[in-house]
C-alpha cells in the first residue's frame, strides 16, 4: 500500500509554545489529507480536511486559529498547534487519500505532550 | 452530518471462536465503509472495506456485510487468533470518485484468549 510518513513521532513542548507536525505522502500524490486526534482508548476524531492549495475545512468545535493547517503541495500537509496547553496533549494522526480512491492511508501518528 | 455507532466497545473471545462487530450509520448517502485495525500505539491499518453496491465481501478469515436499507454493516472474524487482538474501527464516508472524509465509530477492543 501507499506510504504516509508523519513527523515527529513524539514531541514534548512547554505551555505557550507552538508545535508543527508534518504529514507526507511518500509515493503518491494526495490532493486531500485528513487530520485526526485520538485520546487514550478512544476513537479517531476528525479535526479537519486539508485540500492542496486551499483552506482547510474544520470540523465543528475545532478552533482553526488554534490548529493551523497548511497543505502547500500534493505530498505535504502540516498541522501547527499554536500556544499549546496541557489539554492539547494527545495523539495526532494524519491520513491521505490517493487520487480517485477512497482508501485512506495513515501516518504513524504524533504523540504530543504539553508540560 | 454522518454519525457512526459501533458495538460492542469490548469483545473477548476464545481462540478459534468467531467475533462479530457491528456498526450503524446515519447518512444514507454514505457509500464506502472500511474497517481498520489499530494495535497499541500504532497507526490504523485497513483490513477490509465494502462499497454500497456490494452486500458482502470476504477475505480469508475476515468478512464484511452491508445492509443499506437498515444502514448497518458488520465485521466478521472467524477462527480468531491471539494476533487478532487489537482495536477495530469501522468508518463511513461519501466518497464519489473524489476523496471523502472518514467518520469513525468509537472502536471495539477485541481480546482473543489463547
Amino acid at each position: 500500500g501507499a506510504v504516509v510518513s508523519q513527523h515527529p513521532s513524539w514531541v514534548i513542548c512547554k505551555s505557550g509554545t507552538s508545535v508543527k507536525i508534518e504529514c507526507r505522502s511518500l509515493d503518491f500524490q494526495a490532493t486531500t489529507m485528513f487530520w485526526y486526534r485520538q485520546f487514550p482508548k478512544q476513537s479517531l476524531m476528525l479535526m479537519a480536511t486539508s485540500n492542496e492549495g486551499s483552506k482547510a475545512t474544520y470540523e465543528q468545535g475545532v478552533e482553526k486559529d488554534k490548529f493551523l493547517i497548511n497543505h502547500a503541495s500534493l505530498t505535504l500537509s502540516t498541522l501547527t498547534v499554536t500556544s499549546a496547553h496541557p489539554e492539547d496533549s494527545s495523539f495526532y494522526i494524519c491520513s491521505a487519500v490517493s487520487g480517485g480512491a477512497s482508501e485512506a492511508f495513515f501516518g504513524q501518528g504524533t504523540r504530543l505532550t504539553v508540560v | 452530518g454522518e454519525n457512526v455507532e459501533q458495538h460492542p466497545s469490548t469483545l473477548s473471545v476464545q481462540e478459534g471462536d468467531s467475533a462479530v462487530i457491528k456498526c450503524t450509520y446515519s447518512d444514507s448517502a454514505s457509500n464506502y465503509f472500511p474497517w481498520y485495525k489499530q494495535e497499541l500505539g500504532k497507526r490504523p491499518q485497513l483490513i477490509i472495506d465494502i462499497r454500497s453496491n456490494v452486500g458482502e465481501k470476504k477475505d480469508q478469515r475476515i468478512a464484511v456485510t452491508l445492509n443499506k436499507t437498515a444502514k448497518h454493516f458488520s465485521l466478521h472474524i472467524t477462527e480468531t487468533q491471539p494476533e487478532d487482538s487489537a482495536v477495530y474501527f469501522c468508518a463511513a464516508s461519501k466518497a464519489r470518485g473524489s476523496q471523502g472524509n472518514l467518520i469513525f465509530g468509537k472502536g471495539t477492543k477485541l481480546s482473543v484468549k489463547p
Side-chain angles (χ1 to χ4, degrees):
Chain A
V3 179
V4 175
S5 178
Q6 192 171 335
H7 178 81
S9 297
W10 60 270
V11 57
I12 301 173
C13 71
K14 292 183 177 180
S15 289
T17 61
S18 295
V19 175
K20 179 185 284 188
I21 303 169
E22 294 186 347
C23 180
R24 294 180 184 273
S25 55
L26 298 186
D27 52 1
F28 66 99
Q29 292 184 332
T31 55
T32 305
M33 290 185 173
F34 305 96
W35 287 95
Y36 296 85
R37 183 173 181 176
Q38 187 175 35
F39 291 105
K41 299 183 180 180
Q42 294 190 26
S43 187
L44 298 111
M45 293 183 57
L46 180 65
M47 298 175 65
T49 301
S50 169
N51 292 295
E52 185 267 336
S54 63
K55 291 183 179 181
T57 302
Y58 289 82
E59 294 299 302
Q60 191 173 9
V62 179
E63 300 176 58
K64 61 180 181 180
D65 295 330
K66 172 77 171 173
F67 300 99
L68 300 179
I69 292 173
N70 183 278
H71 194 158
S73 76
L74 286 172
T75 59
L76 174 64
S77 176
T78 60
L79 167 68
T80 301
V81 183
T82 63
S83 186
H85 292 286
E87 56 264 33
D88 297 325
S89 299
S90 189
F91 193 53
Y92 293 87
I93 306 180
C94 69
S95 73
V97 184
S98 60
S102 300
E103 180 179 353
F105 299 95
F106 284 85
Q108 66 267 46
T110 298
R111 183 159 302 284
L112 170 64
T113 302
V114 184
V115 297
Chain B
E2 175 66 278
N3 181 51
V4 178
E5 298 283 342
Q6 184 172 346
H7 299 279
S9 57
T10 60
L11 179 60
S12 182
V13 300
Q14 287 294 130
E15 182 177 0
D17 288 349
S18 296
V20 180
I21 303 171
K22 299 181 179 181
C23 287
T24 61
Y25 60 99
S26 61
D27 192 339
S28 57
S30 290
N31 59 1
Y32 176 65
F33 308 93
W35 286 88
Y36 287 86
K37 176 182 180 181
Q38 188 179 27
E39 297 177 3
L40 189 64
K42 296 186 177 181
R43 75 186 82 192
Q45 299 276 8
L46 179 72
I47 56 171
I48 195 168
D49 57 13
I50 192 168
R51 298 181 189 276
S52 59
N53 58 347
V54 176
E56 184 174 358
K57 184 176 179 181
K58 189 173 182 180
D59 183 4
Q60 298 183 337
R61 296 187 298 109
I62 296 174
V64 57
T65 58
L66 171 65
N67 184 326
K68 287 174 56 181
T69 303
K71 289 188 283 189
H72 66 68
F73 54 113
S74 301
L75 176 71
H76 304 254
I77 305 174
T78 58
E79 300 172 28
T80 53
Q81 302 166 1
E83 50 266 38
D84 294 329
S85 297
V87 178
Y88 291 81
F89 293 101
C90 62
S93 78
K94 293 183 284 187
R96 297 181 187 277
S98 61
Q99 295 81 357
N101 54 331
L102 291 169
I103 303 300
F104 286 86
K106 293 188 183 301
T108 297
K109 183 178 181 180
L110 174 64
S111 299
V112 180
K113 300 185 185 306

